[in-house]
Structures are given as C-alpha cells and as structure tokens.
Amino acid sequence: MNTSGFYNSEGMRGPNKVISPTFELTKELKDTYTYPVGGWTWYDTVEEAQAAEGFDMEIVEYINQMESEINSFE
C-alpha cells in the first residue's frame, strides 16, 4: 500500500492534495514547497511521517481501515 502524502501532526493524510482557505498543496508540486505549510509536510511513507510528526499510529491505522472500507463500495 502506498502511504506517501502530505501529513500533519495529528496523522491526517492528504495523499495527493491538501486544500485550505489560505493555501493549496499538490503532489505534483511537492518538491517546490518550503515545509511545513500550514502544518503539513510531504513524506514518502507513513513511517517517515510518524517518526517526524510523532502522531499515534493506531489512529492512522484506523483511518486507513475506514478509507479502505469506503473505497470498497466505489
């Protein structure tokens, strides 16, 4: 499973994009940003993100499970 993406300190992940009222991050431009941007940083793996951001992996695993279940209906 590909776990690359933009992560924040809570373990939230934007695999391809993060949009907020004040900024937008896209995977295609990930190497051009000065991180963190609005609390978000690009990581190649969830393990790298967890080591750097310090979030609880159990929360991330739960979120990933929920995403998998949702995507199975599409």
Side-chain angles (χ1 to χ4, degrees):
M1 178 178 177
N2 180 359
T3 60
S4 65
F6 297 100
Y7 286 85
N8 68 11
S9 62
E10 297 174 2
M12 295 176 62
R13 176 176 168 247
N16 298 309
K17 183 182 289 192
V18 174
I19 299 173
S20 90
T22 57
F23 64 88
E24 181 174 332
L25 304 173
T26 63
K27 179 180 179 177
E28 294 77 21
L29 297 175
K30 67 179 175 56
D31 296 324
T32 67
Y33 304 120
T34 301
Y35 296 109
V37 177
W40 296 86
T41 301
W42 177 270
Y43 296 99
D44 291 326
T45 67
V46 67
E47 292 82 10
E48 288 178 9
Q50 193 278 329
E53 300 291 341
F55 52 76
D56 186 341
M57 281 299 292
E58 288 183 20
I59 293 170
V60 173
E61 289 168 4
Y62 175 78
I63 292 169
N64 288 339
Q65 178 63 35
M66 293 297 102
E67 286 179 351
S68 293
E69 290 178 15
I70 291 168
N71 291 336
S72 69
F73 292 109
E74 294 179 352

